[in-house]
Amino acid sequence: MSAKDLITQGRTALGIEFGSTRIKAVLVDYDGNVLASGFHEWENKLVNGVWTYDLADVDAGLRSCYSSLRKDIEAKYSITPATFGAIGISAMMHGYIALDKDDKQLAPFQTWRNTNTTQAADELTELFQFNIPLRWSAAHLYQRSLDGEPHVKDVASVFTLAAYMHYKLTGQKVIGIGDAAGMFPIDSVKLDYDEGMVQKFDALLKKAGYSYGLRDVFPKVLVAGDLAGNLTPEGAALMDETGTLKSGIPMCPPEGDAGTGMTATNSVAPRTGNLSAGTSTFAMVVLERQLSKLHREIDMVTTPSGFPCAMSHANNGTSDLNAWVSLFGEFCGLMGIQASTGELFGKLYTHALTGDPDCGGLLAYGYYSGENITFINEGRPLFARMPGSKFNLANFMRVNLYTSLGAVKLGMDILLKDEGVKLERMMGHGGLFKTPLVMQKVLAAAVNSPVSVMRTASEGGAWGIALLAAYLADGRKDGKLEDYLNNRVFTSLTGDVVDPDPKDVEGFETFTKHYVAGLEIEKAAINSMDW
């Protein structure tokens, strides 16, 4: 059947992911082949010390992204889509969207980037004996209580961004288990919030004088393959401004970008892992056994099917790297040189490989916000060097590539070196891997393991959530999610595998020593730069 016929008959799956700087839509057939895509650029704002998005911008971004997808379909196939086999919504994990009983927003949307929950995260970690990161939804709700914010008494719903958008489209207060694992600890046997910890959390709420419990306000947990509701007429009108899109379309559980990253890289088996590189950067490894002890630097989350994973999640990834590339673009314009964004990234990234394996002694931190792995609660992007450092363009670009993985590397060292977690294959995905082989070599050096990047790498999480939608629509007949991915989606996909270069591994280790030692510089910058 042709792509045009599949789209006309609605035998397709649509995935939409709300990333930090881009909302992306990907339309696939049931075997995962990409048929069309759409985009909308956006950016978070720092308002009164809170990293946030206006929820009106969320709605507008969805419409714009879907419009972009619809126009791509019309241009390629001369048809306007009216229905799909299934739809999935994904977004950056964690954070805090609080609504009252009438669905009125009670407080600013707190994104994953906010680290203003130290007291709550520390107290919950001690109470549960389970690491509760600063950005988790439970930490945000409890911190708002500790701070005595009056809105907390009126909370009727707490959502992640994906669960919120799914609720607006379906009216169902549900969440995929991978995204739920960034709200509250998960019991991977019962595939639900950990009941013992729920009871302890509820006791805290009761002690503070609130009448509700966690399950009253958090969305219900679902797993891959569960029906999570259907697109309502109001949801269809919200998505498609032309009114062409029909309601009633099945929707899969909304997932976080960690779960879609695992799906997009088929990294769901023990000893496999993946790294998603973007505004935030996180690496995930599927475990064979539980870790020997609690590590504040490591998140314990799950696959979309509920299997336990360890995650090294850095709040800061490519923002500062992108800013430097933009600066070089300004210089090109000043010199009258026409250079596209793709050319700039390609040339600069490739040139970085000619630099010294240890970056020539240069040091950089792309800390736009606080960094949980290094226990720094505010961000100050900075670049530093010694008088004798080898300061040239190759080393400068190389150190900015290295530092985009700097914090993640520290978390991975805990897993691979301290805990002895076995890693046989690492998959890379996201826009950072679009320039062939460059970031593969850097990541391989960071984790001292082979790194694969498939041709779908730049499709990222939007493709991953489209696959989860396709699994709901047609893939469940193939068995478990991993069976569907192995036997239908990834059978014909090819990609490049890069083994670690011993010199690069040694160089990254040297850089890491500089990175750890230089954290005092970052702290001094926070104390000194306050204007």
Side-chain angles (χ1 to χ4, degrees), residues 174-191:
V174 297
I175 189 170
I177 194 167
D179 202 17
M183 296 188 78
F184 196 83
I186 292 294
D187 182 333
S188 286
V189 175
K190 296 183 178 180
L191 303 178

Side-chain angles (χ1 to χ4, degrees), residues 158-332:
V158 174
F159 292 113
T160 63
L161 181 56
Y164 168 78
M165 202 68 251
H166 181 92
Y167 177 63
K168 291 204 69 174
L169 295 175
T170 67
Q172 300 296 311
K173 194 190 322 187
V174 297
I175 189 170
I177 194 167
D179 202 17
M183 296 188 78
F184 196 83
I186 292 294
D187 182 333
S188 286
V189 175
K190 296 183 178 180
L191 303 178
D192 198 358
Y193 302 120
D194 185 285
E195 181 57 29
M197 298 184 196
V198 168
Q199 291 180 13
K200 292 179 179 179
F201 191 82
D202 286 353
L204 292 177
L205 294 176
K206 184 178 180 180
K207 183 179 179 181
Y210 303 115
S211 59
Y212 55 82
L214 180 133
R215 293 185 187 278
D216 297 321
V217 297
F218 275 33
K220 179 183 177 182
V221 177
L222 300 177
V223 298
D226 287 344
L227 175 63
N230 299 83
L231 184 67
T232 63
E234 295 80 8
L238 178 63
M239 282 184 64
D240 183 11
E241 59 193 2
T242 71
T244 306
L245 184 63
K246 297 179 180 178
S247 61
I249 300 170
M251 294 192 65
C252 71
E255 263 300 347
D257 46 6
T260 59
M262 283 185 277
T263 306
T265 56
N266 196 21
S267 302
V268 295
R271 298 195 178 198
T272 65
N274 77 91
L275 181 131
S276 175
T279 306
S280 66
T281 301
F282 51 86
M284 306 191 64
V285 181
V286 184
L287 300 178
E288 296 177 289
R289 57 172 176 80
Q290 293 294 328
L291 301 182
S292 65
K293 60 181 180 180
L294 183 153
H295 298 277
R296 291 303 303 269
E297 301 90 345
I298 302 299
D299 295 15
M300 292 302 302
V301 292
T302 78
T303 70
S305 297
F307 296 111
C309 300
M311 178 166 67
S312 173
H313 184 292
N315 281 2
N316 298 281
T318 60
S319 292
D320 201 44
L321 178 60
N322 294 342
W324 282 113
V325 174
S326 178
L327 188 71
F328 287 120
E330 283 190 49
F331 175 74
C332 286

